[in-house]
Amino acid sequence: MSIPVHSPSTAEIRHQNSNKDASSPALPDETIDNAIIWSIKLDYNEANKEIKRRFEHWLQADPMHAIAWERIHSLRHSFSGTSASSALVMSTIEHADQQRHQSLLKRRKTIQLLSLASLTIGTGWLVRAQLPWQRLTADTSTEIGEQRTLQLADGTELILNTDTAVSTDLSGENRMILLLRGEIMVKTGADAHHAEKRPFFVYTSFGKMQALGTRFTVRLASEGALISVQEHAVALYPAQSQASYLVKENESRWLREGETEPANLLGMDAGSWAHGVISGNNIRLADLLAELARYRMGHISCAPEIADLRVSGLFHIKDTDKTLQFLAHTQPIRLSYRTRLWVYVGPAQQDNGAL
Amino acid sequence: MSKPDLTLHQEVHALYIDHYSWLQGWIRRKLGNAFDANDMAQDVFMRLLLRKHPVQAHQPRAFLSTIAHGFVVEHWRRRELELAWQETLASWPAPEVPPPESRLIFLETLIEIDRMLDALKPAVRSAFLMAQLDGLTCPQIAERIGVSLATVERYIAKALRHCYALRFET
């Protein structure tokens, strides 16, 4: 490239390049690379006088050099709007990367398991598990058998039970949680960063509810949302009705589109899952098995002869195979594994060939 | 208003009338969230109005959903970062946690950094951020991460070339 007799102004250079996008003339790679080398010497190292002198010489040599330099040098202050350290930024980005990677792996695994299961078993119980899109579009989700505790920015503790998906929005005038599937426990926080504590709502497709206290669970089922209050109260607002209903401490209630109605927890304690167990008294075995099935891939089927047996106590949900074995030891029942994912629970004396 | 502008505005207006509520529904299904779908649909049309050339879309819905898809991906990426940010903060030593009033700015910067540096290797990204955020020189970074000065300078050069391409060549 020839050395020009005089240095044209930036405006003239832009004019020369006007067949391109006027504000961003394309520069030769070599010029950009040279500007980068100079920037590293000057902006990212301690440069001595000799280096600065040689740099001035290069800068004057070609008007293209000046443009390249202006651009590269402007990158020196990229991201300077924050006082946070690189360590905090890197941790956050690594954490996000990790979560992306994990959810990708889990997604693949789920799809593999599902396609495997549908080959061996066919239709029926898979319907519940076949809505993975809700997991993919949610803010946070758990897989079957997984639980997760989130600390939200307003101090709220949100615990996700198995197979759950939520979106949260704490940026507006109201704090909002959208329950897309599964079950959550909410311990509302003090919202200390706001002068006035903002209202706290949980939305479901059946309607919304406002937390008027500190601790409650919401479980989404196909026929409604089941709300159980452990502390204080929650106000329910069905989607298709003007009516509202106040659920008080130790009460449970169904929220449906047009109404609310009292709920029967079938002998099980609401929220014990947050401690890793199903607890209760005088639970029908069929109901307990249906509840256990939520925490494992696959299906548990229960023979009618034993469905009405009654059980009490604590049943662990972290390892459901162990819990099933425990039941087989303490009850007149017998387990048969039809496939790895399908357990049949029948009477102890019955031969496992008949279904 | 020049002639291409007029054509563009008429086109966008027609697209808006015919497909706005469809697009809103499409986005709502993607987000699983009605709150942001409305804003995002508006953003798609704002983006169209800023174009330099007329749209001339033969398949308007495919065209609109392609743009919206970009927004949706960006939205989730943003949410992922927000969540990672909250979780990281929760485990961070208190004296180094930025004060609440500067956290929003930080989040914006974080999103910018993630967008600009995502394609870089972690080592390159890390070295570049030490230079940009902590104000360290190349010899200081070399000492901190235990590699040669030449390696650090190569990392910084790589990051600068990458940022240049994103900022000035697209």
Side-chain angles (χ1 to χ4, degrees):
Chain A
M1 187 173 285
S2 65
I3 296 168
V5 180
H6 67 101
S7 294
S9 69
T10 312
E12 282 173 300
I13 295 161
R14 285 195 178 142
H15 183 70
Q16 286 165 9
N17 285 279
S18 61
N19 54 338
K20 300 219 176 246
D21 189 345
S23 60
S24 55
L27 299 174
D29 278 337
E30 198 194 338
T31 308
I32 298 164
D33 289 340
N34 282 331
I36 287 172
I37 291 169
W38 283 116
S39 175
I40 286 171
K41 287 188 206 295
L42 293 160
D43 295 332
Y44 301 88
N45 276 293
E46 312 267 359
N48 61 29
K49 273 188 184 156
E50 171 58 16
I51 289 174
K52 285 179 184 162
R53 197 187 58 75
R54 276 166 36 212
F55 164 70
E56 285 301 326
H57 183 75
W58 172 82
L59 191 65
Q60 302 294 328
D62 188 318
M64 288 285 198
H65 294 181
I67 301 173
W69 171 252
E70 195 184 307
R71 290 179 181 178
I72 290 293
H73 183 61
S74 76
L75 296 173
R76 178 70 188 94
H77 301 292
S78 307
F79 326 129
S80 61
T82 172
S83 57
S85 65
S86 67
L88 183 53
V89 171
M90 283 300 289
S91 294
T92 307
I93 289 179
E94 273 164 19
H95 189 57
D97 277 349
Q98 235 167 33
Q99 281 176 340
R100 271 173 217 149
H101 188 65
Q102 273 171 6
S103 67
L104 193 73
L105 285 181
K106 274 184 193 156
R107 223 174 284 162
R108 282 191 194 138
K109 217 165 111 188
T110 309
I111 290 163
Q112 275 171 7
L113 279 171
L114 284 175
S115 50
L116 186 74
S118 57
L119 280 177
T120 50
I121 298 170
T123 53
W125 63 269
L126 275 171
V127 173
R128 180 174 63 90
Q130 267 175 346
L131 296 166
W133 61 269
Q134 282 175 329
R135 264 198 289 269
L136 306 190
T137 57
D139 276 357
T140 310
S141 60
T142 51
E143 292 292 328
I144 292 171
E146 187 192 2
Q147 295 184 340
R148 187 181 297 172
T149 302
L150 304 177
Q151 301 292 338
L152 305 184
D154 68 330
T156 293
E157 187 176 286
L158 183 64
I159 309 175
L160 276 60
N161 199 3
T162 174
D163 198 23
T164 295
V166 295
S167 288
T168 58
D169 185 352
L170 301 176
S171 58
E173 285 174 13
N174 294 326
R175 295 174 284 170
M176 294 191 292
I177 292 179
L178 192 64
L179 178 58
L180 300 165
R181 60 190 284 130
E183 182 171 20
I184 52 172
M185 177 179 278
V186 180
K187 301 177 188 173
T188 53
D191 206 21
H193 299 317
H194 283 77
E196 269 190 55
K197 196 168 166 178
R198 294 167 300 164
F200 191 105
F201 286 97
V202 176
Y203 285 78
T204 72
S205 56
F206 302 102
K208 66 176 178 182
M209 67 213 73
Q210 183 176 6
L212 302 170
T214 52
R215 197 154 61 93
F216 62 102
T217 56
V218 188
R219 171 173 171 177
L220 217 51
S222 55
E223 68 275 19
L226 176 61
I227 289 87
S228 297
V229 178
Q230 280 89 46
E231 279 177 37
H232 300 280
V234 173
L236 308 186
Y237 300 94
Q240 306 288 346
S241 160
Q242 298 299 314
S244 67
Y245 188 89
L246 194 67
V247 189
K248 300 200 187 77
E249 206 164 303
N250 298 324
E251 286 181 346
S252 293
R253 203 165 177 91
W254 283 104
L255 170 66
R256 304 193 203 280
E257 254 181 16
E259 62 185 337
T260 70
E261 62 182 87
N264 176 1
L265 298 185
L266 310 172
M268 290 176 260
D269 302 327
S272 60
W273 56 266
H275 304 292
V277 294
I278 298 165
S279 69
N281 280 309
N282 206 25
I283 310 170
R284 265 182 86 233
L285 185 62
D287 294 336
L288 179 66
L289 292 177
E291 189 68 15
L292 272 180
R294 293 174 65 206
Y295 298 91
R296 54 187 283 131
M297 283 302 280
H299 183 58
I300 304 176
S301 48
C302 175
E305 300 92 304
I306 53 143
D308 290 314
L309 286 174
R310 298 284 167 158
V311 291
S312 299
L314 298 179
F315 304 94
H316 289 270
I317 53 183
K318 294 267 151 69
D319 187 342
T320 51
D321 281 310
K322 265 196 188 149
T323 306
L324 287 170
Q325 277 159 23
F326 168 77
L327 283 168
H329 283 129
T330 54
Q331 301 295 322
I333 60 170
R334 174 196 174 106
L335 310 175
S336 355
Y337 284 77
R338 305 281 172 181
T339 72
R340 196 165 53 78
L341 294 174
W342 182 9
V343 190
Y344 173 77
V345 185
Q349 67 276 24
Q350 188 189 331
D351 182 72
N352 68 7
L355 190 113
Chain B
M1 195 180 277
S2 67
K3 197 153 177 266
D5 276 353
L6 196 63
T7 323
L8 180 68
H9 278 231
Q10 280 167 349
E11 266 188 316
V12 173
H13 187 68
L15 283 173
Y16 189 92
I17 300 224
D18 293 344
H19 305 296
Y20 180 76
S21 48
W22 173 83
L23 184 66
Q24 216 181 343
W26 188 90
I27 296 172
R28 194 169 50 237
R29 283 195 301 280
K30 291 280 164 191
L31 295 183
N33 169 349
F35 312 119
D36 299 316
N38 197 18
D39 282 353
M40 200 177 280
Q42 296 280 357
D43 286 347
V44 170
F45 284 95
M46 286 309 292
R47 173 77 56 92
L48 289 183
L49 284 172
L50 294 172
R51 282 167 63 99
K52 292 195 178 87
H53 310 289
V55 181
Q56 289 173 331
H58 298 297
Q59 293 181 307
R61 291 194 171 179
F63 173 74
L64 289 172
S65 58
T66 305
I67 299 176
H69 179 75
F71 279 102
V72 169
V73 169
E74 203 173 311
H75 174 87
W76 287 123
R77 216 171 155 81
R78 204 185 158 92
R79 286 299 181 90
E80 276 171 353
L81 274 174
E82 269 184 60
L83 192 69
W85 163 229
Q86 282 168 11
E87 289 179 3
T88 305
L89 266 192
S91 65
W92 210 250
E96 292 174 41
V97 170
E101 62 272 18
S102 68
R103 285 186 197 170
L104 197 64
I105 299 171
F106 179 85
L107 190 61
E108 291 306 318
T109 311
L110 192 67
I111 288 158
E112 168 87 3
I113 289 172
D114 184 60
R115 200 173 57 226
M116 296 278 286
L117 307 186
D118 183 50
L120 297 174
K121 282 198 308 188
V124 174
R125 195 157 65 182
S126 179
F128 190 55
L129 286 174
M130 284 182 188
Q132 299 294 53
L133 299 178
D134 305 340
L136 299 185
T137 62
C138 287
Q140 288 168 329
I141 296 168
E143 204 186 315
R144 176 88 63 99
I145 60 178
V147 298
S148 70
L149 177 60
T151 302
V152 172
E153 291 186 342
R154 206 169 59 241
Y155 285 169
I156 302 290
K158 200 166 228 165
L160 285 173
R161 187 66 186 84
H162 177 73
C163 289
Y164 182 95
L166 283 184
R167 195 158 283 178
F168 301 108
E169 292 179 337
T170 52

